[in-house]
């Protein structure tokens, strides 16, 4: 019965997933071998198989390895949160970086630093609270007449909020030299100079977000059929949206706390994932898992080598890659309905 | 005739439905016959869609209650309600590229949970729903490539997959041409033959007379007539509801009502 086979649950078959995962493994390997410190790929391989000089060993295990792991976490967080935000706003352009969620996160951290706190452990929850504030602003704008139904207008509103928050962040840093010193390398968005210890405070919220996502995936998918249909299937759309906002705040806040504001990953990754996976958000989310880190790590590797021995900020490269996608999506005659 | 579903009775007692401060339905009483097709008709703005939303718990009553087999639907957990009552809202939209089978699978959600993931039973139900709606050949086609009638049948198939005794449909044939309307009505009749109770809002009175067993005529949030179409629909009722004069003739073959010589009443308000 070919028809029955064709209607087996879609989560069982993921054409293309194997290829993406292999590509991701290769990218991780490249991230360990290339750039960030004066150790050649050949020397790095020697370290990986258990040899190498003291310096090469340090570069690979203390610089490149944490950077790669952080790239994985940041990529997953930003890719998944973009897909989630797009699902609840039903807007393919809803990207945490474009809508002010990331900016809210950065602003909250700047305020925290000015108020005198500098403990690295506080940074994560504060960034997440800032992201939550940004999310709530977005959802309020979505409810305004006309804005919610027009994807481009939502992005305009988000850009306005982002610029305002970025301006306020700069103002704060101008006024407070100590905060500026502490945060200067962070506000541009980069994976450079982060330590493994920066990753640890983010892990618990990642687990919570992951668990919540698994719980909410099914009702979230039904929201794509409209609020009334979702209710008819026994779901609570309001509760689903609230949970998703919480997940996005945890993920974007966590990623921003480690890497600083990085835009466009949440736009490009779900865009590619949807192209592969089709309209069901559950499949899209699975594909965001390899695609997110793939984009972040490739961008980071390029950031290390184009102007070596110095580096470009990661955010610059993701924007270079994301802006054309944004233009392409907007220029498409008809925005895809989510 | 096979009856696969236990008879479900839906009643409203002194039901009040309001938008903010504007009452649309004030103290409405209603008992729907089990295992039959009930059509709710009336002019635009008479409150028929609001009533359906109230019956489906999309709209919480500001007074009174809706009882499903004696249980107040406001007190039932959402998922329990979704296993007993399925709803198809007006002009439901699916995301681009969603296939017929994928849509129908959503109908299984009320039956799924952490401990009950997708099973062979679910697969069988989806298969049966495809067959009931005559969509086997189109299972893997995206909805946006189908005709209006096929698409609407796919949505109804999603509610079939919910396996509820009661099906509420809001204007399932609006925006369809005549052939596609009949396609959908025949599916509805077929579903009633399996023992389901079906309540549908319709704006086309002749179709309601042709396909419904029971008719509820509404005006200004009140029920002005209810019963078997051939007995309750009269020229006076048609004039009262729509401001239209007509003659009603029994169909020589089926006995259902035919509408002849329709024109605007002289003194339409």
């Amino acid at each position: 019965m070919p028809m029955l086979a064709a209607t087996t649950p879609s989560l069982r078959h993921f054409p293309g997933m194997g290829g993406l995962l292999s590509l991701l493994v290769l990218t991780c390997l490249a991230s360990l071998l290339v750039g960030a410190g004066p150790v050649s790929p050949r020397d790095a391989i020697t370290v990986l198989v258990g040899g190498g000089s003291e310096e090469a060993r340090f570069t690979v295990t203390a610089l490149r390895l944490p950077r790669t792991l952080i790239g994985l976490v940041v990529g997953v967080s930003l890719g998944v949160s973009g897909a989630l935000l797009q699902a609840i706003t039903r807007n393919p352009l809803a990207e945490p970086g474009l809508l002010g969620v990331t900016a809210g996160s950065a602003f909250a951290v700047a305020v925290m630093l000015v108020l005198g706190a500098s403990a690295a452990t506080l940074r994560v929850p504060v960034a997440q609270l800032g992201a939550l504030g940004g999310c709530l602003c977005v959802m309020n704008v979505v409810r305004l007449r006309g804005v919610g139904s027009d994807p481009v207008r939502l992005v305009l509103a988000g850009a306005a909020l982002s610029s305002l928050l970025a301006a306020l962040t700069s103002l704060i840093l101008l006024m407070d030299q100590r905060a500026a010193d502490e945060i200067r390398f962070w506000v541009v968005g980069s994976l450079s100079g982060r330590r493994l210890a920066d990753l640890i405070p983010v892990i618990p919220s990642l687990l919570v977000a992951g668990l919540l996502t698994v719980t909410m995936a099914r009702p979230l998918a039904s929201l794509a059929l409209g609020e009334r249909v979702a209710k008819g299937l026994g779901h609570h759309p309001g509760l689903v949206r609230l949970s998703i906002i919480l997940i996005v705040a945890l993920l974007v806040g966590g990623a921003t706390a480690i890497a600083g504001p990085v835009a466009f990953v949440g736009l490009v990754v779900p865009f590619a994932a949807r192209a592969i996976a089709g309209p069901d958000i559950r499949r899209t989310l699975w594909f965001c898992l390899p695609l997110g880190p793939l984009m972040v790590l490739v961008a980071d590797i390029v950031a290390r080598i184009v102007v070596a021995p110095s580096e470009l900020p990661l955010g610059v490269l993701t924007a270079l890659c994301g802006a054309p996608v944004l233009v392409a999506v907007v220029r498409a005659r008809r925005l895809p309905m989510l | 005739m096979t009856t696969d579903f236990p008879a479900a009775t839906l009643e409203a007692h002194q039901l009040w439905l309001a938008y903010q401060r504007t009452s649309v339905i004030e103290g409405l009483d209603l008992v729907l016959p089990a295992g039959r097709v009930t059509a709710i008709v009336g002019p635009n703005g008479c409150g028929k869609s609001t009533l359906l939303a109230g019956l489906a718990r999309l709209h919480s009553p500001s007074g009174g209650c809706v009882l499903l087999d004696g249980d107040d639907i406001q007190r039932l957990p959402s998922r329990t309600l979704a296993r007993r009552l399925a709803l198809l809202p007006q002009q439901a939209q699916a995301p681009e590229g969603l296939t017929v089978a994928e849509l129908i699978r959503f109908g299984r959600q009320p039956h799924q949970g952490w401990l009950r993931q997708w099973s062979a039973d679910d697969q069988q139900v989806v298969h049966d729903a495809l067959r009931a709606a005559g969509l086997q050949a189109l299972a893997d086609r995206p909805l946006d490539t189908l005709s209006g009638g096929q698409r609407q049948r796919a949505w109804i198939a999603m509610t079939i997959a919910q396996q509820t005794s009661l099906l509420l449909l809001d204007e399932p044939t609006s925006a369809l041409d005549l052939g596609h309307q009949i396609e959908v009505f025949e599916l509805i009749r077929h579903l009633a033959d399996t023992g389901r109770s079906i309540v549908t809002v319709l704006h086309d009175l002749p179709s309601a007379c042709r396909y419904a067993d029971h008719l509820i005529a509404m005006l200004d949030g009140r029920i002005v007539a209810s019963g078997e179409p051939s007995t309750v629909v009269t020229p006076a009722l048609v004039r009262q509801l729509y401001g239209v004069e007509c003659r009603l003739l029994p169909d020589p073959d089926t006995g259902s009502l035919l509408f002849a010589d329709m024109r605007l009443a002289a003194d339409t308000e």
Side-chain angles (χ1 to χ4, degrees), chain A residues 16-323:
Chain A
M17 188 59 112
L20 283 177
L21 286 175
S22 333
L23 211 58
L24 181 58
V25 169
L26 286 179
T27 309
C28 287
L29 205 61
S31 172
L32 292 176
L33 299 185
V34 180
V39 172
S40 71
R42 178 177 299 186
D43 293 343
I45 291 175
T46 326
V47 174
L48 288 185
V49 296
S53 66
E54 188 84 0
E55 188 205 0
R57 190 174 289 279
F58 173 80
T59 303
V60 173
T61 59
L63 294 181
R64 292 180 189 172
L65 181 65
R67 192 164 178 164
T68 307
L69 291 176
I70 286 171
L72 284 171
V73 168
V74 168
V76 166
S77 299
L78 294 179
V80 166
S81 55
L84 291 174
L85 204 57
Q86 287 158 23
I88 57 166
T89 56
R90 300 189 81 177
N91 180 342
L93 299 179
E95 199 270 325
L98 292 178
L99 293 189
V101 179
T102 314
S105 196
F107 176 67
V109 172
V111 170
M112 175 198 81
L113 289 174
V114 169
L115 293 179
S118 73
T121 47
L122 256 186
R123 181 181 281 187
V124 174
V126 166
Q128 286 168 336
L129 273 179
L132 186 63
C135 277
L136 292 177
C137 284
V138 170
M139 291 316 286
N140 272 318
V141 170
V142 169
R143 261 190 231 121
L144 294 179
R145 182 186 294 269
V147 179
S149 51
D150 183 347
V152 179
R153 284 176 70 181
L154 177 64
V155 174
L156 280 181
L161 178 66
S162 274
S163 319
L164 177 68
L165 288 171
L168 288 175
T169 309
S170 310
L171 196 66
I172 287 173
L173 297 182
L174 278 176
M175 292 188 317
D176 190 318
Q177 193 53 46
R178 186 191 61 86
D181 287 341
E182 193 161 341
I183 208 176
R184 184 173 299 135
F185 294 103
W186 179 79
V187 283
V188 290
S190 165
L191 299 184
S192 152
R194 271 62 172 177
R195 290 160 302 133
L196 218 46
D198 294 333
L199 198 55
I200 302 205
V202 179
I203 301 297
S205 54
L206 270 184
L207 293 178
V208 172
L211 218 66
L212 258 178
T213 308
V214 171
T215 318
M216 284 296 151
R218 192 178 291 142
L220 178 64
S222 77
L223 268 188
L225 304 178
E227 176 127 358
R228 292 173 150 241
V229 175
K231 278 188 182 169
L233 292 172
H235 302 304
H236 303 273
L239 191 69
V240 176
R241 269 194 290 271
L242 204 66
S243 316
I244 298 300
I245 286 174
L246 201 65
I247 297 169
V248 170
L250 287 174
L251 291 178
V252 175
T256 309
I258 313 173
V262 177
F264 288 104
V265 178
L267 177 77
V268 176
V269 168
F271 181 76
R274 261 196 305 278
I276 304 172
D280 194 316
I281 179 73
R282 290 167 288 189
R283 281 170 64 79
T284 304
L285 285 173
W286 280 110
F287 278 97
C288 284
L289 293 181
L291 281 169
L294 203 55
M295 174 174 175
V296 168
L297 286 176
V298 168
D300 185 51
I301 293 169
V302 174
R304 300 174 205 170
I305 54 182
V306 279
V307 289
S310 77
E311 289 193 18
L312 279 178
L314 176 67
V316 170
L317 274 151
T318 56
L320 279 177
C321 167

Side-chain angles (χ1 to χ4, degrees), chain B residues 133-152:
Chain B
L135 293 167
Q136 295 104 311
L138 303 174
D140 297 320
R141 285 270 297 276
L143 285 172
D144 35 78
T145 66
L146 302 183
S147 76
Q150 292 167 335
R151 199 177 307 142
Q152 193 63 319

